[in-house]
């Protein structure tokens, strides 16, 4: 297993739509394992393949306190969303250090395939519902900051670009 590089907003690759997974082989199993390791290392509760520059419909999630309940969603599809909405403070591994309120349906039903290609359905609420919707947005090429006002989004974009330059400068000085 290995830690993968997580794309940072406003990287244009984060806006690429993911394609359905069609092959369930050892490469997919390795990607799932690497994504899980990357998510736990970050640390985070969810990671979409799009965030690691693999544009396939694959999401890993673990909202447990103990990091031992990994859930894999392949080709996920929301089949129902509650009319009731809730605002949750969301963060993102692609937008480190930024948290803001996003309104989403409070509950969702999702159908997907597991790591072996077996279909399943899940009814989710609370953090899991938020996480599923957030990660599925990545598969559509959408980052959570796009729900925020243009002013907030531009401030975040400027901050992220500045941080990226600082990281690049420090790495260049190390060489």
């Amino acid at each position: 297993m290995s830690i993968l590089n997580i794309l940072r907003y406003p990287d244009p690759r984060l806006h690429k739509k993911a394609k359905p997974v069609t092959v369930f082989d050892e490469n997919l199993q390795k990607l799932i394992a690497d994504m899980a390791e990357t998510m736990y290392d970050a640390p985070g509760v969810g990671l979409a393949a799009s965030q690691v520059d693999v544009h396939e419909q694959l999401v890993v999630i673990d909202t447990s306190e103990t990091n031992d309940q990994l859930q894999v969603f392949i080709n996920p599809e929301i089949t129902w969303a509650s009319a009731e909405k809730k605002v949750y403070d969301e963060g993102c591994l692609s937008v480190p250090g930024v948290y803001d309120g996003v309104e989403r349906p409070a509950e969702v039903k999702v159908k997907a395939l597991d790591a072996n290609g077996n279909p399943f359905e899940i009814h989710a609420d609370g953090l899991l519902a938020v996480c599923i919707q957030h990660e599925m947005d990545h598969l559509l090429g959408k980052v959570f900051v796009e729900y925020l006002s243009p002013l907030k989004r531009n401030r975040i974009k400027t901050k992220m670009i500045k941080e990226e330059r600082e990281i690049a400068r420090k790495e260049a000085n190390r060489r």
Side-chain angles (χ1 to χ4, degrees), residues 78-99:
I78 293 175
T79 58
W80 173 85
S82 66
E84 179 192 358
K85 305 225 185 259
K86 285 197 175 169
V87 176
Y88 290 91
D89 250 7
E90 292 187 27
C92 181
L93 296 178
S94 291
V95 195
V98 175
Y99 300 88

Side-chain angles (χ1 to χ4, degrees), residues 16 41 59 75 100 175:
K16 195 172 172 183
D41 181 69
V59 167
N75 303 337
D100 212 319
R175 290 184 202 138

Side-chain angles (χ1 to χ4, degrees), residues 69-84:
Q69 295 174 31
L70 183 70
Q71 294 178 283
V72 176
F73 296 82
I74 297 173
N75 303 337
E77 182 184 326
I78 293 175
T79 58
W80 173 85
S82 66
E84 179 192 358

